[in-house]
Amino acid sequence: MTSPRAALGVSLVLAASLFFGVCGPFGKVVIQAGLTPLQVTWLRICGVGLLALAVAAVPLVRTLRGGTRLPWGGLALFGLTAIAAVQAFYFIAVERLPVGIALLLEFMGPIVVVAWVRFVRRTVLPRSAVIGVLLSLVGLCIVVEVWTGLRLDAVGLVAGSAAAACQATYFLSGEKLTARVDVRVLLAVGFTVGAVALAPLATPWALDWAVLSSRVTLGGVETTGLVSIAALVLCTAVAYGLGLSGLRFVSAPVAGAIGYAEVVVASLAAWALLGEALTVPQVIGGLVVIAGVFTAQRAVAAKRAVEEEAEEAAVTKV
């Protein structure tokens, strides 16, 4: 991996994290206005799907006409988990928890990535990686304030944890699929699968469309639910496009570590747009979670870099 490619990958994933981070408040105000989390998720996925299909029309037709076999199974799994399920679980968590807490729970996903690399890919991890995982678990206990008997909503906690598992598939499957499929095609197929999969649960035929014309407030500015949904769709589309493009240049563990910028952005966005604030223990716990996972991910990334250097040295000798 050359330095310019790595720098490009880091920049793309970081930019994606910024756009992902501001999505929470846009969705939450519409949920509070009367739509269910699944309905907001379905509108979000359909909106991005329509944009993705329009952008991917030419490369998709070219791919199919060229006789290239697409990994349909992998694309379907990506759509079901990394697009539909992760967003559905996230908004269920957002409905019941502060945006920052919901994101912190979702971002246990990189821990799952580290575990997958260790136990499924059978890559031996440095001791610092294990320390980072344990540190993150301690931080999570502080976030949910276990000494108070888990005052945070139990359903929200479960939904946030499920979102973490689905987020892990975003990094792991995205890393593989972007090496085989055009990002535009991946987004088009993935979001189409996600929209179809969520339709029976979201029941769009029972959706109260009047909510989209209702007034909502973001950062003290009054607007409509439709404008908030449009902002949500746009930010989501840009975030997925940038993030998946970045996975072509950096590994899943590295991307997961960079993605923690989303937590900071989301907390700031929730404070600025919704007036939400975190308690002191939750802030401290969040910082511990971020520090622990970042430590674990850096350890995995460093090991991979050493292995790549060894491979390059072996090739040079030959």
Side-chain angles (χ1 to χ4, degrees), residues 18-317:
L18 298 178
F19 279 98
F20 273 130
V22 299
C23 286
F26 292 129
K28 187 162 187 172
V29 292
V30 183
I31 292 173
Q32 293 173 336
L35 297 186
T36 69
L38 285 176
Q39 288 174 333
V40 172
T41 302
W42 187 80
L43 287 174
R44 181 189 197 189
I45 291 176
C46 283
V48 177
L50 291 174
L51 291 176
L53 284 171
V55 174
V58 173
L60 181 58
V61 171
R62 187 180 302 156
T63 298
L64 295 176
R65 284 184 176 178
T68 301
R69 293 187 60 184
L70 293 174
W72 293 108
L75 292 173
L77 178 63
F78 184 84
L80 289 172
T81 57
I83 292 178
V86 70
Q87 295 186 59
F89 284 127
Y90 170 67
F91 273 119
I92 291 174
V94 163
E95 181 187 31
R96 296 171 175 269
L97 303 171
V99 171
I101 298 299
L103 266 177
L104 286 171
L105 290 172
E106 179 188 353
F107 264 83
M108 290 297 287
I111 294 242
V112 179
V113 173
V114 171
W116 184 274
V117 170
R118 173 64 183 90
F119 297 108
V120 178
R121 294 182 180 176
R122 298 185 181 280
T123 300
V124 178
L125 301 177
R127 181 177 300 178
S128 58
V130 178
I131 293 175
V133 171
L134 295 177
L135 185 61
S136 296
L137 292 178
V138 172
L140 181 60
C141 290
I142 299 174
V143 169
V144 300
E145 298 180 342
V146 292
W147 58 87
T148 64
L150 294 179
R151 289 186 305 179
L152 294 178
D153 185 87
V155 174
L157 293 175
V158 172
S161 299
C166 294
Q167 189 204 51
T169 65
Y170 167 77
F171 291 113
L172 292 168
S173 63
E175 181 184 25
K176 290 187 176 181
L177 289 172
T178 52
R180 302 176 56 189
V181 182
D182 187 300
V183 171
R184 294 168 294 179
V185 174
L186 173 57
L187 286 174
V189 176
F191 274 90
T192 298
V193 170
V196 173
L198 271 184
L201 298 176
T203 60
W205 49 86
L207 191 150
D208 183 5
W209 296 98
V211 172
L212 298 182
S213 60
S214 64
R215 310 304 295 181
V216 298
T217 302
L218 287 164
V221 177
E222 192 175 82
T223 183
T224 65
L226 180 60
V227 171
S228 188
I229 286 292
L232 176 63
V233 168
L234 181 59
C235 289
T236 301
V238 174
Y240 268 100
L242 293 174
L244 290 173
S245 296
L247 279 170
R248 297 171 56 196
F249 307 110
V250 296
S251 67
V254 172
I258 299 169
Y260 273 86
E262 178 181 339
V263 178
V264 179
V265 174
S267 297
L268 292 174
W271 168 74
L273 299 177
L274 302 179
E276 291 186 355
L278 304 178
T279 66
V280 174
Q282 289 171 344
V283 171
I284 294 174
L287 293 175
V288 174
V289 170
I290 293 174
V293 178
F294 187 71
T295 299
Q297 308 256 351
R298 279 180 63 86
V300 175
K303 180 175 175 60
R304 177 165 177 167
V306 170
E307 292 175 348
E308 290 179 348
E309 290 178 1
E311 291 176 0
E312 291 178 358
V315 172
T316 302
K317 289 182 180 179

